Amino acid sequence: MDILLILQIIVLLGAIFLGVRLGGIGIGFAGGLGVVVLTLILGMKVGNIPWDVILIIMSVIAAISAMQLAGGLDYLVQVAEKILRSNPKYINYLAPTVTYVLTLLAGTGHTAFSMIPVIVEVAKEQNIKPSAPLSIAVVSSQIAITASPVSAAVVYMTGVLEPLGWSYPLLLGIWIPTTFVGCMLTAFIISKITDLDLSKDEVYQERLKNGLIKASTGAIHTEVKPGAKLSVLIFLLGVLCVVFYATTISDVVRKPMLDYVNMLIAEGSSLSALAEFVKSYIDPVRLPRDGAIMSFMLSIAALIVIFCKINTAKIFEQSVFKSGMVACVCVLGVAWLGDTFVAGYKGQIQDIAGDLATKLPFLVAVAFFFASMLLYSQAATAKAIVPTIVAALSISATSDGSVAANSYILVASFAAVSALFVLPTYPTLLGAVQMDDTGSTRIGKYVFNHAFLIPGTLAIALSVALGFLVAPLF
């Protein structure tokens, strides 16, 4: 290892450490500083900026922010609260289920913010340490990104895997059940190994003695805005349209459909005019999947603005919009920094990774895990690491359209890009710590000994293990 490589590693880790110390959007700032030092001082070639990832995040956040302004997010929180309060004893299972589903539909884990106060309240009422349901819920909201049909990470991975024989609906059919079951198994294990009795927690008793615990306020009864339900309906229909369109342009659906419409046209069928119309949209594909998600999400926002009659000037004031834009800056800085370093040593990484991953496939998941804890984004991690893994394993598309050899490793390992909880700096993680007035959800003095590490690692390990059981079957 030469001195230049040592200096480059120091800059990479130093920028990440500085970002952790600055917190929030500062992580993105520090990433940009690292790029400057690596390129202008240490002579590395600048890496690629993940524009597609950033733009998808921005468009999804814009749609959710419009829905939030219309009152739709508050309405969803009320529905979720009713679910939690209907069976409060099962909060360790219901809390992660709710945050998982919200993220699955929205494509961003920031929707979990609105559920954190509710989870704390219900847990306190049941004398359950909020740290248990909160930690699993936050982790579930992160892992669900790897199963959401509208997340930037899934869009990127499907783009990589479809030429290798994996269809969009098949991938969702693998990632959704494996990640959800992984989260539920984690909830079961954490419930069994954790002392859930809140009254026995010393920190809680101390805070209770000092009057720092808020009294339970019961169910939230905020008035639903006139356009709230309509905004939710528009958003959900939009998500369904995204899934439908993305499925129709998937080769597994598009090619048989194209063969059928060509047959109708050749036969001069009464449906030939309709067949010509359909063919014009799918051959060639007019709008690629990432462009479709961006345009559909912006269209959803436009429809919510029009039909729910909201003031666009107030959209940027919404909490989801602010947290989403912070995420974009963080992805820009940190992912750019990571790609600059990885691209500089792509050949060496491929040589090492190819040999190890062939012998021990699960090491791909380990690489995803550690990369994501530094790159701060599921999509950015996938974009930085996957091309190297594909090259290292010599994965290439087959001539007959069948699934490429070893490509199942990428499918099975994908959930491991969700290790954003390892460093206790992610917004939803910090939000859970700050909003839990019992003090049971805390960060230890050694930084890594926090409430989310064990549940998160366990959930990813189980999701990946299930992936390795299911993916090879196809």
Side-chain angles (χ1 to χ4, degrees):
M1 186 181 290
D2 58 30
I3 186 66
L4 185 60
L5 175 57
I6 294 172
L7 289 174
Q8 289 166 346
I9 292 174
I10 289 173
V11 171
L12 173 70
L13 298 179
I16 291 169
F17 177 75
L18 175 62
V20 170
R21 292 294 301 271
L22 294 176
I25 200 170
I27 295 173
F29 298 161
L33 177 60
V35 171
V36 170
V37 177
L38 286 180
T39 55
L40 298 184
I41 298 177
L42 297 180
M44 295 195 79
K45 184 180 178 180
V46 66
N48 295 316
I49 299 174
W51 287 119
D52 51 350
V53 172
I54 294 170
L55 293 175
I56 288 173
I57 293 173
M58 288 178 65
S59 56
V60 171
I61 289 297
I64 297 173
S65 299
M67 182 175 67
Q68 183 179 26
L69 181 57
L73 206 54
D74 290 336
Y75 172 69
L76 287 176
V77 170
Q78 285 192 29
V79 172
E81 183 177 12
K82 288 179 181 178
I83 294 172
L84 292 180
R85 291 188 180 279
S86 63
N87 291 284
K89 293 181 180 179
Y90 299 104
I91 188 173
N92 286 354
Y93 300 94
L94 293 176
T97 297
V98 167
T99 56
Y100 182 96
V101 171
L102 285 174
T103 299
L104 190 75
L105 295 174
T108 172
H110 293 290
T111 51
F113 265 122
S114 54
M115 289 308 306
I116 292 173
V118 179
I119 295 170
V120 172
E121 282 289 309
V122 176
K124 284 196 300 186
E125 290 170 7
Q126 295 298 310
N127 193 38
I128 294 173
K129 288 182 181 178
S131 59
L134 278 179
S135 60
I136 309 167
V138 168
V139 166
S140 295
S141 72
Q142 293 180 359
I143 292 178
I145 290 291
T146 60
S148 171
V150 294
S151 75
V154 167
V155 172
Y156 172 75
M157 282 298 287
T158 53
V160 171
L161 290 166
E162 275 196 329
L164 303 177
W166 298 87
S167 69
Y168 176 78
L170 175 59
L171 290 170
L172 291 180
I174 293 172
W175 288 333
I176 292 175
T178 54
T179 54
F180 180 71
V181 172
C183 292
M184 290 300 100
L185 288 174
T186 300
F188 175 77
I189 294 170
I190 294 299
S191 298
K192 294 299 181 183
I193 67 173
T194 305
D195 181 4
L196 299 176
D197 192 341
L198 178 61
S199 62
K200 294 180 181 178
D201 189 271
E202 294 180 0
V203 174
Y204 168 72
Q205 290 296 339
E206 183 68 24
R207 293 178 66 83
L208 190 63
K209 188 187 300 181
N210 294 329
L212 300 175
I213 308 297
K214 297 176 184 176
S216 177
T217 56
I220 300 171
H221 295 290
T222 50
E223 186 177 347
V224 176
K225 292 182 179 179
K229 294 181 181 179
L230 178 59
S231 69
V232 172
L233 178 62
I234 293 171
F235 185 85
L236 293 181
L237 289 175
V239 171
L240 290 176
C241 288
V242 168
V243 174
F244 176 77
Y245 181 79
T247 299
T248 58
I249 63 172
S250 177
D251 283 346
V252 72
V253 175
R254 189 177 73 89
K255 289 181 179 179
M257 187 186 300
L258 191 57
D259 290 340
Y260 181 67
V261 296
N262 282 332
M263 182 191 71
L264 291 176
I265 294 169
E267 292 177 350
S269 166
S270 59
L271 297 174
S272 58
L274 177 61
E276 287 279 7
F277 176 78
V278 172
K279 183 179 179 179
S280 68
Y281 274 87
I282 64 175
D283 185 34
V285 174
R286 292 189 181 186
L287 192 59
R289 186 173 291 117
D290 53 353
I293 288 181
M294 294 178 208
S295 56
F296 277 45
M297 285 293 147
L298 293 177
S299 299
I300 289 169
L303 292 173
I304 291 175
V305 170
I306 293 168
F307 290 104
C308 299
K309 299 177 182 178
I310 60 174
N311 184 356
T312 56
K314 294 184 178 180
I315 288 179
F316 75 93
E317 300 173 0
Q318 305 307 302
S319 60
V320 170
F321 187 89
K322 293 176 182 177
S323 60
M325 293 307 107
V326 167
C328 287
V329 174
C330 290
V331 169
L332 170 61
V334 179
W336 195 9
L337 171 68
D339 190 78
T340 298
F341 182 83
V342 170
Y345 293 96
K346 189 174 182 178
Q348 296 91 321
I349 294 172
Q350 285 176 0
D351 292 339
I352 297 171
D355 184 52
L356 290 175
T358 302
K359 295 177 181 177
L360 302 169
F362 71 88
L363 287 181
V364 172
V366 175
F368 281 161
F369 185 94
F370 285 103
S372 63
M373 67 178 265
L374 298 177
L375 296 181
Y376 212 65
S377 163
Q378 293 92 335
T381 300
K383 192 157 190 179
I385 302 296
V386 167
T388 303
I389 299 297
V390 169
L393 293 175
S394 300
I395 302 173
S396 58
T398 55
S399 57
D400 61 356
S402 60
V403 174
N406 290 332
S407 59
Y408 78 91
I409 297 173
L410 293 172
V411 178
S413 302
F414 183 41
V417 300
S418 300
L420 281 60
F421 55 82
V422 177
L423 294 174
T425 56
Y426 201 74
T428 48
L429 187 154
L430 292 175
V433 173
Q434 293 166 359
M435 294 183 203
D436 180 10
D437 60 348
T438 69
S440 67
T441 310
R442 47 186 178 263
I443 299 171
K445 63 179 180 179
Y446 301 111
V447 181
F448 288 99
N449 58 327
H450 53 76
F452 306 86
L453 186 61
I454 292 176
T457 304
L458 190 58
I460 284 180
L462 290 168
S463 298
V464 169
L466 290 169
F468 272 101
L469 285 174
V470 175
L473 299 177
F474 299 93

